[in-house]
Amino acid sequence: MRIWYAKDYNKMSKMAAAIVASQVTLKPSSVLAFITGSTPIGTYKELIRKYEEEEVDFSSAKVMNIDEYVGLSKTSDQSYSYFMYHNLYKYINVFEENTLMFRGENLELDKECQRMEANLKRFGTIDLHLLGIGRNGHVAFNEPSDSFSKGIRHVELSNETIEDNSRFFDTRSDVPKRAYTFGIRTIMSAKRILLLASGEAKQEILYKALFGPITPAVPASVLQLHPDVDVIADEKALKEVIQRMPEEIVNLRR
Ligand SMILES: N[C@@H]1[C@@H](O)[C@H](O)[C@@H](COP(=O)(O)O)O[C@@H]1O
């Protein structure tokens, strides 16, 4: 695991976009797993800029969303399909047939998971998997639990996640209670993982995830077992890591 220090959100976004763009340049047919939330928005803006300036070409890349609210279709402005389309896909040259998203409106939950598993198999191994981290250590929608989850599944969201994500909805009761998500095994099967974290609210959980015990109670802690993880975090998110494990940050002193 490599932990990279970024002075602020802007720098974090630029560093992350540089990794995604190099992945696609080195392997144009890369399979990429993308995330939603506030954290990756700057990364996507930077990727759009790179595309517009012809620094990167996504025409052979395959892209996918790793989670989605159950009950929201791609036309709902709170769905993750909508988010990915309006924050990234519509501005770059990814093709529809190379884009994989959950159908949030499909209420046949098991069937939707099976459909996504089959499509993921067709897309092939994920070359680069982006990840954010929730305040309770969740990754995608894998909430703290008693065991690490396996493949693609549907889950009940925790109160903490509903609370955190309610900032994107008119009222808390509008937040769906269930979601589709890649499981921990799906995420861990990616060749390379890029974890992003920004802001003070993430400082405690980031330290726990990177240096605490590996436990399903902190789902992100499983990343300690993956052979190829880059963590890019801004100074605020890294606060506790800087205090307790400064020597573990690759570029802190540079
Ligand atoms: N399902 C998403 C996660 O994939 C995301 O990483 C997390 C953090 O979001 P943010 O970047 O807004 O802090 O929130 C949501 O619950």
Side-chain angles (χ1 to χ4, degrees):
M1 178 179 288
R2 296 165 295 272
I3 306 171
W4 301 93
Y5 165 90
K7 177 79 194 141
D8 52 25
Y9 179 82
N10 197 26
K11 193 80 192 114
M12 177 198 77
S13 305
K14 288 203 159 120
M15 290 166 78
I19 290 184
V20 177
S22 341
Q23 171 68 42
V24 176
T25 301
L26 294 172
K27 183 181 176 191
S29 62
S30 287
V31 180
L32 308 169
F34 284 127
I35 52 170
T36 59
S38 329
T39 311
I41 291 178
T43 305
Y44 297 156
K45 285 202 172 120
E46 181 63 11
L47 282 175
I48 294 165
R49 187 197 63 72
K50 282 179 181 292
Y51 166 68
E52 285 169 349
E53 292 180 12
E54 295 182 9
E55 287 175 38
V56 60
D57 171 11
F58 292 92
S59 58
S60 304
K62 294 197 176 88
V63 299
M64 64 189 73
N65 293 18
I66 66 169
D67 50 8
E68 181 59 282
Y69 291 114
V70 169
L72 300 190
S73 75
K74 64 178 180 191
T75 54
S76 155
D77 60 3
Q78 292 310 332
S79 74
Y80 285 176
S81 302
Y82 184 99
F83 176 101
M84 283 311 305
Y85 181 71
H86 289 279
N87 283 288
L88 184 63
Y89 298 162
K90 79 169 173 182
Y91 298 107
I92 61 174
N93 60 341
V94 287
F95 296 116
E96 208 178 324
E97 64 271 25
N98 289 339
T99 307
L100 186 56
M101 300 190 214
F102 283 100
R103 294 183 184 148
E105 71 280 15
N106 187 357
L107 301 181
E108 289 188 289
L109 307 184
D110 291 339
K111 275 200 180 146
E112 179 57 16
C113 295
Q114 286 155 14
R115 184 190 71 83
M116 281 298 279
E117 280 288 6
N119 279 303
L120 183 57
K121 221 180 206 168
R122 191 170 54 80
F123 268 42
T125 307
I126 298 166
D127 292 292
L128 181 61
H129 196 311
L130 269 68
L131 274 184
I133 181 167
R135 267 193 316 136
N136 60 3
H138 74 249
V139 282
F141 271 133
N142 294 286
E143 298 281 19
S145 140
D146 296 336
S147 60
F148 287 119
S149 58
K150 298 184 180 77
I152 293 174
R153 65 214 188 97
H154 49 91
V155 294
E156 197 171 322
L157 298 179
S158 71
N159 285 332
E160 201 173 1
T161 298
I162 291 175
E163 190 62 48
D164 281 353
N165 291 1
S166 65
R167 69 188 193 279
F168 299 114
F169 291 80
D170 290 340
T171 66
R172 192 183 189 282
S173 58
D174 290 335
V175 186
K177 310 279 176 294
R178 296 198 70 82
Y180 290 115
T181 184
F182 281 16
I184 292 291
R185 189 176 65 194
T186 322
I187 295 169
M188 290 293 279
S189 67
K191 287 189 194 151
R192 186 176 181 193
I193 294 178
L194 176 54
L195 174 70
L196 304 179
S198 166
E200 238 157 284
K202 303 287 170 70
Q203 59 172 298
E204 275 172 44
I205 194 64
L206 190 62
Y207 178 81
K208 263 197 199 169
L210 305 184
F211 298 105
I214 298 166
T215 161
V218 179
S221 64
V222 77
L223 297 176
Q224 295 177 44
L225 297 174
H226 193 283
D228 197 355
V229 179
D230 287 281
V231 180
I232 305 180
D234 64 15
E235 188 168 278
K236 288 182 176 158
L238 277 174
K239 203 166 163 198
E240 196 159 332
V241 178
I242 292 172
Q243 274 165 11
R244 301 173 68 173
M245 289 286 181
E247 66 285 359
E248 295 294 326
I249 301 174
V250 181
N251 58 337
L252 185 59
R253 306 267 172 252
R254 272 193 261 146

mmCIF file of all heavy atoms in Angstrom, residues 9 34-41 66-69 80 83 130-136 138-143 157 161-162 164-165 167-168 179-181 195-198 201-202, ligand 1:
data_model
loop_
_atom_site.group_PDB
_atom_site.id
_atom_site.type_symbol
_atom_site.label_atom_id
_atom_site.label_comp_id
_atom_site.label_asym_id
_atom_site.label_seq_id
_atom_site.Cartn_x
_atom_site.Cartn_y
_atom_site.Cartn_z
ATOM 1 N N TYR A 9 -7.750 19.384 -1.441
ATOM 2 C CA TYR A 9 -8.669 18.624 -2.302
ATOM 3 C C TYR A 9 -8.270 18.709 -3.777
ATOM 4 O O TYR A 9 -8.287 17.711 -4.503
ATOM 5 C CB TYR A 9 -10.092 19.178 -2.108
ATOM 6 C CG TYR A 9 -11.134 18.487 -2.957
ATOM 7 C CD1 TYR A 9 -11.687 17.277 -2.563
ATOM 8 C CD2 TYR A 9 -11.561 19.046 -4.154
ATOM 9 C CE1 TYR A 9 -12.640 16.639 -3.345
ATOM 10 C CE2 TYR A 9 -12.515 18.409 -4.941
ATOM 11 C CZ TYR A 9 -13.051 17.202 -4.529
ATOM 12 O OH TYR A 9 -14.002 16.578 -5.302
ATOM 13 N N PHE A 34 -15.800 3.127 -11.141
ATOM 14 C CA PHE A 34 -15.895 4.502 -10.646
ATOM 15 C C PHE A 34 -16.857 4.625 -9.466
ATOM 16 O O PHE A 34 -17.753 3.798 -9.287
ATOM 17 C CB PHE A 34 -16.353 5.433 -11.770
ATOM 18 C CG PHE A 34 -15.271 5.758 -12.764
ATOM 19 C CD1 PHE A 34 -15.481 5.551 -14.125
ATOM 20 C CD2 PHE A 34 -14.054 6.270 -12.346
ATOM 21 C CE1 PHE A 34 -14.489 5.867 -15.049
ATOM 22 C CE2 PHE A 34 -13.058 6.590 -13.267
ATOM 23 C CZ PHE A 34 -13.277 6.390 -14.621
ATOM 24 N N ILE A 35 -16.673 5.723 -8.735
ATOM 25 C CA ILE A 35 -17.439 5.936 -7.504
ATOM 26 C C ILE A 35 -18.207 7.258 -7.545
ATOM 27 O O ILE A 35 -17.947 8.106 -8.390
ATOM 28 C CB ILE A 35 -16.491 5.978 -6.283
ATOM 29 C CG1 ILE A 35 -15.346 6.992 -6.526
ATOM 30 C CG2 ILE A 35 -15.927 4.605 -6.025
ATOM 31 C CD1 ILE A 35 -14.507 7.292 -5.304
ATOM 32 N N THR A 36 -19.081 7.414 -6.583
ATOM 33 C CA THR A 36 -19.851 8.663 -6.465
ATOM 34 C C THR A 36 -19.473 9.346 -5.147
ATOM 35 O O THR A 36 -18.546 8.914 -4.468
ATOM 36 C CB THR A 36 -21.352 8.347 -6.471
ATOM 37 O OG1 THR A 36 -21.597 7.476 -5.362
ATOM 38 C CG2 THR A 36 -21.767 7.666 -7.762
ATOM 39 N N GLY A 37 -20.214 10.397 -4.789
ATOM 40 C CA GLY A 37 -19.926 11.120 -3.555
ATOM 41 C C GLY A 37 -19.233 12.439 -3.856
ATOM 42 O O GLY A 37 -18.939 12.752 -5.012
ATOM 43 N N SER A 38 -18.926 13.201 -2.807
ATOM 44 C CA SER A 38 -18.267 14.505 -2.993
ATOM 45 C C SER A 38 -16.802 14.316 -3.344
ATOM 46 O O SER A 38 -16.222 15.131 -4.065
ATOM 47 C CB SER A 38 -18.306 15.342 -1.710
ATOM 48 O OG SER A 38 -19.429 15.078 -0.950
ATOM 49 N N THR A 39 -16.207 13.260 -2.825
ATOM 50 C CA THR A 39 -14.752 13.087 -2.958
ATOM 51 C C THR A 39 -14.260 13.035 -4.415
ATOM 52 O O THR A 39 -13.281 13.700 -4.736
ATOM 53 C CB THR A 39 -14.309 11.821 -2.186
ATOM 54 O OG1 THR A 39 -14.896 11.891 -0.879
ATOM 55 C CG2 THR A 39 -12.805 11.748 -2.070
ATOM 56 N N PRO A 40 -14.895 12.269 -5.312
ATOM 57 C CA PRO A 40 -14.300 12.135 -6.653
ATOM 58 C C PRO A 40 -14.651 13.247 -7.647
ATOM 59 O O PRO A 40 -14.147 13.234 -8.766
ATOM 60 C CB PRO A 40 -14.866 10.795 -7.141
ATOM 61 C CG PRO A 40 -16.197 10.710 -6.489
ATOM 62 C CD PRO A 40 -16.055 11.368 -5.152
ATOM 63 N N ILE A 41 -15.493 14.198 -7.267
ATOM 64 C CA ILE A 41 -15.960 15.186 -8.253
ATOM 65 C C ILE A 41 -14.790 15.950 -8.901
ATOM 66 O O ILE A 41 -14.730 16.126 -10.118
ATOM 67 C CB ILE A 41 -16.996 16.143 -7.616
ATOM 68 C CG1 ILE A 41 -18.270 15.350 -7.331
ATOM 69 C CG2 ILE A 41 -17.294 17.332 -8.527
ATOM 70 C CD1 ILE A 41 -19.378 16.135 -6.662
ATOM 71 N N ILE A 66 -20.065 1.250 -9.074
ATOM 72 C CA ILE A 66 -19.934 0.146 -8.122
ATOM 73 C C ILE A 66 -21.115 0.016 -7.160
ATOM 74 O O ILE A 66 -21.200 -0.937 -6.410
ATOM 75 C CB ILE A 66 -18.623 0.258 -7.326
ATOM 76 C CG1 ILE A 66 -18.613 1.492 -6.416
ATOM 77 C CG2 ILE A 66 -17.441 0.283 -8.269
ATOM 78 C CD1 ILE A 66 -17.455 1.487 -5.422
ATOM 79 N N ASP A 67 -21.995 1.006 -7.157
ATOM 80 C CA ASP A 67 -23.157 0.898 -6.265
ATOM 81 C C ASP A 67 -24.302 1.774 -6.774
ATOM 82 O O ASP A 67 -24.124 2.583 -7.675
ATOM 83 C CB ASP A 67 -22.798 1.210 -4.798
ATOM 84 C CG ASP A 67 -22.019 2.509 -4.614
ATOM 85 O OD1 ASP A 67 -21.878 3.268 -5.585
ATOM 86 O OD2 ASP A 67 -21.574 2.764 -3.486
ATOM 87 N N GLU A 68 -25.482 1.567 -6.168
ATOM 88 C CA GLU A 68 -26.680 2.308 -6.608
ATOM 89 C C GLU A 68 -27.776 2.149 -5.560
ATOM 90 O O GLU A 68 -27.846 1.116 -4.878
ATOM 91 C CB GLU A 68 -27.168 1.736 -7.948
ATOM 92 C CG GLU A 68 -28.383 2.399 -8.556
ATOM 93 C CD GLU A 68 -28.204 3.897 -8.832
ATOM 94 O OE1 GLU A 68 -28.301 4.679 -7.852
ATOM 95 O OE2 GLU A 68 -27.974 4.264 -9.997
ATOM 96 N N TYR A 69 -28.596 3.164 -5.426
ATOM 97 C CA TYR A 69 -29.743 3.053 -4.533
ATOM 98 C C TYR A 69 -30.818 2.178 -5.173
ATOM 99 O O TYR A 69 -31.111 2.340 -6.366
ATOM 100 C CB TYR A 69 -30.361 4.426 -4.281
ATOM 101 C CG TYR A 69 -29.494 5.352 -3.460
ATOM 102 C CD1 TYR A 69 -28.962 6.503 -4.006
ATOM 103 C CD2 TYR A 69 -29.235 5.075 -2.125
ATOM 104 C CE1 TYR A 69 -28.183 7.361 -3.254
ATOM 105 C CE2 TYR A 69 -28.449 5.930 -1.358
ATOM 106 C CZ TYR A 69 -27.934 7.075 -1.929
ATOM 107 O OH TYR A 69 -27.168 7.910 -1.180
ATOM 108 N N TYR A 80 -27.072 7.063 -8.665
ATOM 109 C CA TYR A 80 -25.639 7.086 -8.954
ATOM 110 C C TYR A 80 -25.382 7.005 -10.461
ATOM 111 O O TYR A 80 -24.364 7.495 -10.944
ATOM 112 C CB TYR A 80 -24.941 5.954 -8.197
ATOM 113 C CG TYR A 80 -24.796 6.250 -6.714
ATOM 114 C CD1 TYR A 80 -24.264 5.298 -5.845
ATOM 115 C CD2 TYR A 80 -25.167 7.473 -6.177
ATOM 116 C CE1 TYR A 80 -24.096 5.571 -4.490
ATOM 117 C CE2 TYR A 80 -25.008 7.757 -4.828
ATOM 118 C CZ TYR A 80 -24.480 6.798 -3.984
ATOM 119 O OH TYR A 80 -24.308 7.074 -2.643
ATOM 120 N N PHE A 83 -25.558 10.487 -11.489
ATOM 121 C CA PHE A 83 -24.341 11.165 -11.022
ATOM 122 C C PHE A 83 -23.179 10.901 -11.978
ATOM 123 O O PHE A 83 -22.484 11.809 -12.412
ATOM 124 C CB PHE A 83 -23.988 10.665 -9.612
ATOM 125 C CG PHE A 83 -22.689 11.229 -9.069
ATOM 126 C CD1 PHE A 83 -22.696 12.271 -8.146
ATOM 127 C CD2 PHE A 83 -21.451 10.713 -9.479
ATOM 128 C CE1 PHE A 83 -21.491 12.794 -7.660
ATOM 129 C CE2 PHE A 83 -20.254 11.234 -8.994
ATOM 130 C CZ PHE A 83 -20.277 12.274 -8.080
ATOM 131 N N LEU A 130 -11.600 2.654 -8.284
ATOM 132 C CA LEU A 130 -11.594 3.795 -7.372
ATOM 133 C C LEU A 130 -12.448 3.468 -6.159
ATOM 134 O O LEU A 130 -13.415 2.711 -6.261
ATOM 135 C CB LEU A 130 -12.153 5.044 -8.078
ATOM 136 C CG LEU A 130 -11.109 5.909 -8.782
ATOM 137 C CD1 LEU A 130 -10.525 5.183 -9.964
ATOM 138 C CD2 LEU A 130 -11.724 7.226 -9.233
ATOM 139 N N LEU A 131 -12.119 4.064 -5.048
ATOM 140 C CA LEU A 131 -12.923 3.885 -3.840
ATOM 141 C C LEU A 131 -12.924 5.176 -3.028
ATOM 142 O O LEU A 131 -11.916 5.894 -2.991
ATOM 143 C CB LEU A 131 -12.331 2.801 -2.938
ATOM 144 C CG LEU A 131 -12.688 1.347 -3.178
ATOM 145 C CD1 LEU A 131 -12.039 0.498 -2.095
ATOM 146 C CD2 LEU A 131 -14.210 1.116 -3.173
ATOM 147 N N GLY A 132 -14.051 5.427 -2.374
ATOM 148 C CA GLY A 132 -14.107 6.464 -1.357
ATOM 149 C C GLY A 132 -14.267 5.733 -0.038
ATOM 150 O O GLY A 132 -14.283 4.496 0.004
ATOM 151 N N ILE A 133 -14.413 6.474 1.034
ATOM 152 C CA ILE A 133 -14.622 5.810 2.332
ATOM 153 C C ILE A 133 -15.687 6.581 3.103
ATOM 154 O O ILE A 133 -15.665 7.820 3.138
ATOM 155 C CB ILE A 133 -13.284 5.705 3.113
ATOM 156 C CG1 ILE A 133 -13.485 4.992 4.449
ATOM 157 C CG2 ILE A 133 -12.622 7.065 3.319
ATOM 158 C CD1 ILE A 133 -12.174 4.585 5.129
ATOM 159 N N GLY A 134 -16.622 5.843 3.673
ATOM 160 C CA GLY A 134 -17.652 6.477 4.500
ATOM 161 C C GLY A 134 -17.085 6.700 5.904
ATOM 162 O O GLY A 134 -16.090 6.085 6.291
ATOM 163 N N ARG A 135 -17.745 7.561 6.680
ATOM 164 C CA ARG A 135 -17.245 7.859 8.038
ATOM 165 C C ARG A 135 -17.211 6.628 8.934
ATOM 166 O O ARG A 135 -16.487 6.565 9.906
ATOM 167 C CB ARG A 135 -18.133 8.928 8.683
ATOM 168 C CG ARG A 135 -17.601 10.336 8.459
ATOM 169 C CD ARG A 135 -18.290 11.312 9.345
ATOM 170 N NE ARG A 135 -19.729 11.082 9.373
ATOM 171 C CZ ARG A 135 -20.452 11.093 10.481
ATOM 172 N NH1 ARG A 135 -19.881 11.287 11.654
ATOM 173 N NH2 ARG A 135 -21.758 10.896 10.423
ATOM 174 N N ASN A 136 -18.066 5.636 8.611
ATOM 175 C CA ASN A 136 -18.053 4.410 9.410
ATOM 176 C C ASN A 136 -17.173 3.332 8.769
ATOM 177 O O ASN A 136 -17.201 2.177 9.157
ATOM 178 C CB ASN A 136 -19.478 3.882 9.614
ATOM 179 C CG ASN A 136 -20.163 3.558 8.302
ATOM 180 O OD1 ASN A 136 -19.568 3.676 7.229
ATOM 181 N ND2 ASN A 136 -21.417 3.135 8.368
ATOM 182 N N HIS A 138 -17.303 2.392 5.579
ATOM 183 C CA HIS A 138 -17.894 1.618 4.471
ATOM 184 C C HIS A 138 -17.187 1.944 3.159
ATOM 185 O O HIS A 138 -16.683 3.044 2.961
ATOM 186 C CB HIS A 138 -19.406 1.800 4.377
ATOM 187 C CG HIS A 138 -19.911 3.097 3.831
ATOM 188 N ND1 HIS A 138 -20.558 4.035 4.599
ATOM 189 C CD2 HIS A 138 -19.905 3.613 2.580
ATOM 190 C CE1 HIS A 138 -20.918 5.059 3.848
ATOM 191 N NE2 HIS A 138 -20.523 4.839 2.610
ATOM 192 N N VAL A 139 -17.129 0.940 2.307
ATOM 193 C CA VAL A 139 -16.638 1.135 0.943
ATOM 194 C C VAL A 139 -17.741 0.640 0.012
ATOM 195 O O VAL A 139 -18.354 -0.384 0.283
ATOM 196 C CB VAL A 139 -15.311 0.379 0.659
ATOM 197 C CG1 VAL A 139 -14.136 1.121 1.268
ATOM 198 C CG2 VAL A 139 -15.352 -1.055 1.136
ATOM 199 N N ALA A 140 -17.971 1.391 -1.096
ATOM 200 C CA ALA A 140 -19.170 1.215 -1.908
ATOM 201 C C ALA A 140 -20.328 1.281 -0.910
ATOM 202 O O ALA A 140 -20.404 2.223 -0.126
ATOM 203 C CB ALA A 140 -19.122 -0.072 -2.708
ATOM 204 N N PHE A 141 -21.206 0.267 -0.847
ATOM 205 C CA PHE A 141 -22.224 0.279 0.210
ATOM 206 C C PHE A 141 -22.035 -0.925 1.128
ATOM 207 O O PHE A 141 -22.997 -1.465 1.658
ATOM 208 C CB PHE A 141 -23.629 0.328 -0.385
ATOM 209 C CG PHE A 141 -24.148 1.727 -0.613
ATOM 210 C CD1 PHE A 141 -24.743 2.076 -1.810
ATOM 211 C CD2 PHE A 141 -24.056 2.701 0.382
ATOM 212 C CE1 PHE A 141 -25.231 3.361 -2.019
ATOM 213 C CE2 PHE A 141 -24.545 3.987 0.190
ATOM 214 C CZ PHE A 141 -25.131 4.322 -1.015
ATOM 215 N N ASN A 142 -20.796 -1.338 1.314
ATOM 216 C CA ASN A 142 -20.526 -2.433 2.263
ATOM 217 C C ASN A 142 -20.386 -1.832 3.654
ATOM 218 O O ASN A 142 -19.360 -1.251 3.999
ATOM 219 C CB ASN A 142 -19.242 -3.163 1.870
ATOM 220 C CG ASN A 142 -19.412 -3.881 0.553
ATOM 221 O OD1 ASN A 142 -20.074 -4.914 0.494
ATOM 222 N ND2 ASN A 142 -18.857 -3.324 -0.509
ATOM 223 N N GLU A 143 -21.451 -1.991 4.419
ATOM 224 C CA GLU A 143 -21.500 -1.406 5.759
ATOM 225 C C GLU A 143 -20.754 -2.281 6.759
ATOM 226 O O GLU A 143 -20.530 -3.463 6.500
ATOM 227 C CB GLU A 143 -22.973 -1.298 6.191
ATOM 228 C CG GLU A 143 -23.833 -0.400 5.313
ATOM 229 C CD GLU A 143 -23.643 1.087 5.615
ATOM 230 O OE1 GLU A 143 -22.611 1.466 6.222
ATOM 231 O OE2 GLU A 143 -24.517 1.865 5.228
ATOM 232 N N LEU A 157 -29.050 -0.056 4.254
ATOM 233 C CA LEU A 157 -28.084 0.974 4.639
ATOM 234 C C LEU A 157 -28.156 1.253 6.136
ATOM 235 O O LEU A 157 -29.226 1.175 6.742
ATOM 236 C CB LEU A 157 -28.351 2.266 3.854
ATOM 237 C CG LEU A 157 -28.195 2.115 2.337
ATOM 238 C CD1 LEU A 157 -28.507 3.429 1.630
ATOM 239 C CD2 LEU A 157 -26.780 1.657 1.988
ATOM 240 N N THR A 161 -24.999 6.009 7.438
ATOM 241 C CA THR A 161 -24.853 6.284 5.995
ATOM 242 C C THR A 161 -26.060 7.069 5.493
ATOM 243 O O THR A 161 -25.920 8.023 4.715
ATOM 244 C CB THR A 161 -24.691 4.947 5.241
ATOM 245 O OG1 THR A 161 -23.495 4.326 5.730
ATOM 246 C CG2 THR A 161 -24.583 5.144 3.749
ATOM 247 N N ILE A 162 -27.254 6.689 5.961
ATOM 248 C CA ILE A 162 -28.462 7.423 5.548
ATOM 249 C C ILE A 162 -28.336 8.882 5.987
ATOM 250 O O ILE A 162 -28.592 9.814 5.225
ATOM 251 C CB ILE A 162 -29.722 6.750 6.130
ATOM 252 C CG1 ILE A 162 -29.925 5.389 5.427
ATOM 253 C CG2 ILE A 162 -30.958 7.640 5.955
ATOM 254 C CD1 ILE A 162 -31.051 4.553 5.962
ATOM 255 N N ASP A 164 -25.523 10.593 6.646
ATOM 256 C CA ASP A 164 -24.472 11.266 5.867
ATOM 257 C C ASP A 164 -24.956 11.617 4.462
ATOM 258 O O ASP A 164 -24.665 12.692 3.944
ATOM 259 C CB ASP A 164 -23.227 10.366 5.740
ATOM 260 C CG ASP A 164 -22.375 10.400 6.997
ATOM 261 O OD1 ASP A 164 -22.684 11.218 7.901
ATOM 262 O OD2 ASP A 164 -21.417 9.620 7.085
ATOM 263 N N ASN A 165 -25.654 10.672 3.833
ATOM 264 C CA ASN A 165 -26.049 10.880 2.445
ATOM 265 C C ASN A 165 -27.309 11.743 2.315
ATOM 266 O O ASN A 165 -27.659 12.158 1.208
ATOM 267 C CB ASN A 165 -26.233 9.535 1.730
ATOM 268 C CG ASN A 165 -24.895 8.823 1.555
ATOM 269 O OD1 ASN A 165 -23.859 9.331 1.984
ATOM 270 N ND2 ASN A 165 -24.905 7.672 0.920
ATOM 271 N N ARG A 167 -27.609 14.662 2.968
ATOM 272 C CA ARG A 167 -27.293 16.017 2.506
ATOM 273 C C ARG A 167 -27.561 16.203 1.008
ATOM 274 O O ARG A 167 -27.700 17.309 0.538
ATOM 275 C CB ARG A 167 -25.837 16.383 2.843
ATOM 276 C CG ARG A 167 -24.774 15.627 2.082
ATOM 277 C CD ARG A 167 -23.390 15.949 2.675
ATOM 278 N NE ARG A 167 -22.277 15.523 1.845
ATOM 279 C CZ ARG A 167 -21.806 14.273 1.805
ATOM 280 N NH1 ARG A 167 -22.376 13.326 2.550
ATOM 281 N NH2 ARG A 167 -20.790 13.980 1.034
ATOM 282 N N PHE A 168 -27.647 15.096 0.288
ATOM 283 C CA PHE A 168 -27.912 15.195 -1.149
ATOM 284 C C PHE A 168 -29.412 15.165 -1.466
ATOM 285 O O PHE A 168 -29.817 15.349 -2.602
ATOM 286 C CB PHE A 168 -27.228 14.032 -1.896
ATOM 287 C CG PHE A 168 -25.725 14.025 -1.741
ATOM 288 C CD1 PHE A 168 -25.071 13.001 -1.061
ATOM 289 C CD2 PHE A 168 -24.961 15.055 -2.281
ATOM 290 C CE1 PHE A 168 -23.690 12.990 -0.920
ATOM 291 C CE2 PHE A 168 -23.573 15.048 -2.155
ATOM 292 C CZ PHE A 168 -22.939 14.026 -1.478
ATOM 293 N N ALA A 179 -29.684 -0.590 -1.010
ATOM 294 C CA ALA A 179 -28.810 -0.274 -2.140
ATOM 295 C C ALA A 179 -28.233 -1.548 -2.734
ATOM 296 O O ALA A 179 -28.179 -2.587 -2.078
ATOM 297 C CB ALA A 179 -27.675 0.630 -1.655
ATOM 298 N N TYR A 180 -27.809 -1.413 -3.997
ATOM 299 C CA TYR A 180 -27.019 -2.465 -4.648
ATOM 300 C C TYR A 180 -25.557 -2.099 -4.479
ATOM 301 O O TYR A 180 -25.207 -0.919 -4.514
ATOM 302 C CB TYR A 180 -27.319 -2.505 -6.148
ATOM 303 C CG TYR A 180 -28.698 -3.003 -6.500
ATOM 304 C CD1 TYR A 180 -29.622 -2.163 -7.098
ATOM 305 C CD2 TYR A 180 -29.046 -4.326 -6.260
ATOM 306 C CE1 TYR A 180 -30.882 -2.639 -7.455
ATOM 307 C CE2 TYR A 180 -30.296 -4.803 -6.614
ATOM 308 C CZ TYR A 180 -31.214 -3.951 -7.207
ATOM 309 O OH TYR A 180 -32.451 -4.431 -7.546
ATOM 310 N N THR A 181 -24.714 -3.097 -4.336
ATOM 311 C CA THR A 181 -23.294 -2.785 -4.208
ATOM 312 C C THR A 181 -22.399 -3.936 -4.658
ATOM 313 O O THR A 181 -22.787 -5.100 -4.549
ATOM 314 C CB THR A 181 -22.952 -2.428 -2.734
ATOM 315 O OG1 THR A 181 -21.572 -2.045 -2.666
ATOM 316 C CG2 THR A 181 -23.189 -3.568 -1.758
ATOM 317 N N LEU A 195 -7.766 4.532 -3.462
ATOM 318 C CA LEU A 195 -8.673 5.029 -2.410
ATOM 319 C C LEU A 195 -8.451 6.525 -2.222
ATOM 320 O O LEU A 195 -7.316 6.967 -2.008
ATOM 321 C CB LEU A 195 -8.387 4.288 -1.093
ATOM 322 C CG LEU A 195 -9.155 4.784 0.139
ATOM 323 C CD1 LEU A 195 -10.640 4.452 0.060
ATOM 324 C CD2 LEU A 195 -8.578 4.187 1.426
ATOM 325 N N LEU A 196 -9.542 7.282 -2.266
ATOM 326 C CA LEU A 196 -9.452 8.737 -2.095
ATOM 327 C C LEU A 196 -10.131 9.142 -0.799
ATOM 328 O O LEU A 196 -11.173 8.587 -0.437
ATOM 329 C CB LEU A 196 -10.167 9.450 -3.248
ATOM 330 C CG LEU A 196 -9.704 9.097 -4.659
ATOM 331 C CD1 LEU A 196 -10.526 9.857 -5.687
ATOM 332 C CD2 LEU A 196 -8.216 9.401 -4.815
ATOM 333 N N ALA A 197 -9.534 10.116 -0.106
ATOM 334 C CA ALA A 197 -10.184 10.626 1.107
ATOM 335 C C ALA A 197 -9.860 12.101 1.255
ATOM 336 O O ALA A 197 -8.731 12.528 1.027
ATOM 337 C CB ALA A 197 -9.716 9.849 2.334
ATOM 338 N N SER A 198 -10.868 12.852 1.640
ATOM 339 C CA SER A 198 -10.679 14.288 1.774
ATOM 340 C C SER A 198 -11.464 14.803 2.982
ATOM 341 O O SER A 198 -12.582 14.365 3.232
ATOM 342 C CB SER A 198 -11.186 14.961 0.495
ATOM 343 O OG SER A 198 -11.330 16.338 0.688
ATOM 344 N N ALA A 201 -13.502 15.100 8.448
ATOM 345 C CA ALA A 201 -14.459 14.078 8.892
ATOM 346 C C ALA A 201 -13.923 12.668 8.648
ATOM 347 O O ALA A 201 -14.403 11.705 9.244
ATOM 348 C CB ALA A 201 -15.776 14.269 8.161
ATOM 349 N N LYS A 202 -12.923 12.536 7.771
ATOM 350 C CA LYS A 202 -12.407 11.203 7.432
ATOM 351 C C LYS A 202 -11.129 10.855 8.206
ATOM 352 O O LYS A 202 -10.601 9.757 8.055
ATOM 353 C CB LYS A 202 -12.133 11.112 5.922
ATOM 354 C CG LYS A 202 -13.323 11.419 5.035
ATOM 355 C CD LYS A 202 -14.354 10.310 5.048
ATOM 356 C CE LYS A 202 -15.650 10.658 4.376
ATOM 357 N NZ LYS A 202 -15.601 10.781 2.945
HETATM 358 N N1 LIG B 1 -21.843 4.728 -1.556
HETATM 359 C C1 LIG B 1 -21.060 5.903 -1.445
HETATM 360 C C2 LIG B 1 -19.609 5.522 -1.291
HETATM 361 O O1 LIG B 1 -19.185 4.846 -2.455
HETATM 362 C C3 LIG B 1 -18.779 6.764 -1.020
HETATM 363 O O2 LIG B 1 -17.412 6.437 -1.018
HETATM 364 C C4 LIG B 1 -19.184 7.349 0.305
HETATM 365 C C5 LIG B 1 -18.384 8.577 0.702
HETATM 366 O O3 LIG B 1 -18.908 9.725 0.108
HETATM 367 P P1 LIG B 1 -18.235 11.139 0.130
HETATM 368 O O4 LIG B 1 -17.164 11.120 -0.902
HETATM 369 O O5 LIG B 1 -19.332 12.093 -0.264
HETATM 370 O O6 LIG B 1 -17.712 11.379 1.493
HETATM 371 O O7 LIG B 1 -20.555 7.693 0.244
HETATM 372 C C6 LIG B 1 -21.522 6.830 -0.321
HETATM 373 O O8 LIG B 1 -22.177 6.166 0.694
#
